[in-house]
Amino acid sequence: NAGVTQTPKFRILKIGQSMTLQCTQDMNHNYMYWYRQDPGMGLKLIYYSVGAGITDKGEVPNGYNVSRSTTEDFPLRLELAAPSQTSVYFCASISTGDAYSNQPQHFGDGTRLSIL
Amino acid sequence: GQNIDQPTEMTATEGAIVQINCTYQTSGFNGLFWYQQHAGEAPTFLSYNVLDGLEEKGRFSSFLSRSKGYSYLLLKELQMKDSASYLCAVRLSGGYQKVTFGTGTKLQVIP
């Protein structure tokens, strides 16, 4: 059972480039989330999804896009990379039932992104 | 908006007890989580409180007072490996159970 898998683990981008951060989970979870974590800070919600075809903005969505064509995958796209998007990105998931219980979200290992 | 406050840094001695406080003001409340996060790693779940009172899990305990918007994480018998950041997070009520995180408290355990 792999859980939540994020790729790549590290990436350096130039300003203006685009890229997609991949997130996949094999637990059949409906709810998936993308967070960013700047140095010395907590996690901020970028986008979330409650099922295939349904996505919504979180706290800091500007500069990002998402899609959810399958239950398993929730990719995050940066269209025009900017230095302010240098951060660590975490993907998380949880089942619909557990989202209302004492169970926490399952986190991936993160993608460390630097934009120069 | 949502506001969660935690001390930025704390230092404690190996073998001692440390209490990390968290105060929150959020639009709705459906539980509070504590996570541990070592540098360069993902957060790891420690505890969950939804009712007032103390939850104990081995060396870790967490307390919640909903009327005061206050929680604390208590770490006993500190070990060097407890040096990490501790994140307080509130699950909001309403649809989709979004979670708002505090900025975290960086704990340094010294010999």
Side-chain angles (χ1 to χ4, degrees):
Chain A
N1 192 340
V4 179
T5 302
Q6 291 184 237
T7 56
K9 294 191 184 305
F10 304 94
R11 184 73 183 268
I12 298 175
L13 281 182
K14 294 182 179 179
I15 295 172
Q17 286 185 321
S18 61
M19 79 162 292
T20 300
L21 282 67
Q22 301 292 345
C23 175
T24 187
Q25 50 88 13
D26 61 358
M27 298 172 282
N28 201 33
H29 287 170
N30 280 328
Y31 290 13
M32 296 187 74
Y33 309 84
W34 273 106
Y35 297 93
R36 61 176 285 174
Q37 185 177 32
D38 298 334
M41 303 295 286
L43 282 71
K44 292 188 183 297
L45 183 64
I46 306 171
Y47 270 95
Y48 65 98
S49 169
V50 299
I54 306 170
T55 64
D56 205 351
K57 297 177 181 178
E59 186 182 359
V60 289
N62 291 344
Y64 306 94
N65 281 300
V66 294
S67 60
R68 184 94 182 271
S69 57
T70 66
T71 299
E72 294 77 20
D73 300 308
F74 190 38
L76 177 72
R77 179 132 181 109
L78 284 71
E79 290 293 350
L80 289 172
S84 61
Q85 293 177 304
T86 293
S87 192
V88 180
Y89 292 83
F90 289 103
C91 178
S93 74
I94 193 167
S95 68
T96 307
D98 282 349
Y100 295 81
S101 75
N102 63 351
Q103 296 302 305
Q105 297 173 1
H106 298 249
F107 282 90
D109 289 336
T111 294
R112 282 145 190 81
L113 181 62
S114 293
I115 298 163
L116 307 175
Chain B
Q2 323 300 343
N3 191 45
I4 301 177
D5 288 320
Q6 304 178 234
T8 303
E9 295 181 344
M10 299 182 72
T11 301
T13 305
E14 189 177 16
I17 299 172
V18 70
Q19 178 174 312
I20 302 174
N21 295 324
C22 170
T23 58
Y24 63 90
Q25 290 177 304
T26 57
S27 55
F29 176 87
N30 194 19
L32 187 143
F33 295 89
W34 282 98
Y35 288 88
Q36 180 190 62
Q37 187 178 28
H38 284 102
E41 298 182 5
T44 303
F45 170 68
L46 289 177
S47 69
Y48 172 79
N49 296 71
V50 68
L51 300 176
D52 291 351
L54 188 69
E55 294 281 341
E56 297 187 82
K57 264 188 179 183
R59 294 191 299 115
F60 296 82
S61 302
S62 56
F63 172 83
L64 175 67
S65 169
R66 288 173 297 171
S67 62
K68 295 182 179 178
Y70 169 70
S71 174
Y72 67 73
L73 180 69
L74 194 71
L75 291 76
K76 304 175 185 174
E77 301 169 13
L78 280 173
Q79 302 175 9
M80 299 301 290
K81 68 178 182 179
D82 297 329
S83 293
S85 288
Y86 292 85
L87 305 175
C88 172
V90 171
R91 184 161 65 195
L92 307 177
S93 54
Y96 311 136
Q97 304 296 294
K98 291 183 286 186
V99 175
T100 295
F101 286 80
T103 55
T105 299
K106 188 174 182 179
L107 174 66
Q108 183 181 15
V109 180
I110 57 176

